[in-house]
Amino acid sequence: MSGNIKVCDIDPVVKEKVEKFRLRKEKTIAAIVLKIDPDKHLVVIDEEHEDISIDDLREELPDHQPRYVVLSYVYKHDDGRVSFPFCFIFISPQGCNPKFHMMYSGTKNSLTTELKQTKDFELRSVEELTEEWLKEKLH
């Protein structure tokens, strides 16, 4: 039932940026960080990062506010192959404002559907976002 709820709309700029981002040719880690504008009930772009490490990305994210991260990752497999998975990460830190948590949680399913995300992960703290965690999820 909750999968059909749409709490917030998505800024058309977000859809456009994510579609271009999906088709990017660079072979580096990059991310688009999304947030909700609570006054407009609208998902908007918070930050964009090119050629960033997972550790640096973690440092850029707020500790006590939810965020969505659309990530283009460089995954080096044990057998030497390299792939570029496209991931969606919802981070909703414990102790964040319950109203914001509900807005983000209630919007997540419609957002992942609209943005055609298939690798969809959730974290309860920014500190959990590590290279090891991501590799484990993608394995």
Side-chain angles (χ1 to χ4, degrees):
M1 183 90 180
S2 67
N4 299 329
I5 296 172
K6 185 175 182 183
V7 177
C8 297
D9 290 319
I10 303 164
D11 187 329
V13 171
V14 168
K15 294 179 195 176
E16 188 179 309
K17 279 272 189 190
V18 169
E19 197 52 44
K20 285 181 182 170
F21 189 66
R22 183 186 315 279
L23 302 172
R24 71 192 280 277
K25 301 286 187 233
E26 293 79 9
K27 300 197 178 332
T28 57
I29 298 172
I32 299 175
V33 180
L34 306 173
K35 68 178 182 179
I36 292 177
D37 179 329
D39 298 327
K40 296 179 182 173
H41 285 253
L42 190 67
V43 177
V44 297
I45 294 174
D46 184 26
E47 299 176 327
E48 294 180 64
H49 301 282
E50 276 291 337
D51 197 10
I52 189 168
S53 70
I54 297 299
D55 290 341
D56 288 345
L57 177 60
R58 184 179 57 246
E59 294 298 315
E60 293 291 324
L61 295 168
D63 290 348
H64 299 294
Q65 295 177 354
R67 287 295 184 268
Y68 305 115
V69 178
V70 179
L71 181 71
S72 177
Y73 184 64
V74 179
Y75 185 37
K76 295 176 177 109
H77 298 266
D78 295 337
D79 62 6
R81 292 177 301 123
V82 178
S83 63
F84 301 92
F86 198 65
C87 309
F88 181 89
I89 305 168
F90 169 43
I91 304 169
S92 184
Q94 294 177 337
C96 72
N97 180 321
K99 177 185 168 190
F100 289 148
H101 176 74
M102 293 303 291
M103 287 176 86
Y104 278 81
S105 295
T107 302
K108 181 187 154 286
N109 287 343
S110 64
L111 183 60
T112 56
T113 301
E114 288 270 338
L115 299 180
K116 301 177 186 106
Q117 297 295 304
T118 54
K119 291 176 177 47
D120 174 9
F121 310 119
E122 289 190 31
L123 292 173
R124 295 296 289 162
S125 83
V126 174
E127 288 75 36
E128 292 178 61
L129 180 59
T130 64
E131 196 97 30
E132 294 76 29
W133 171 84
L134 189 56
K135 286 179 179 176
E136 183 180 302
K137 290 291 185 184
L138 293 170
H139 190 68

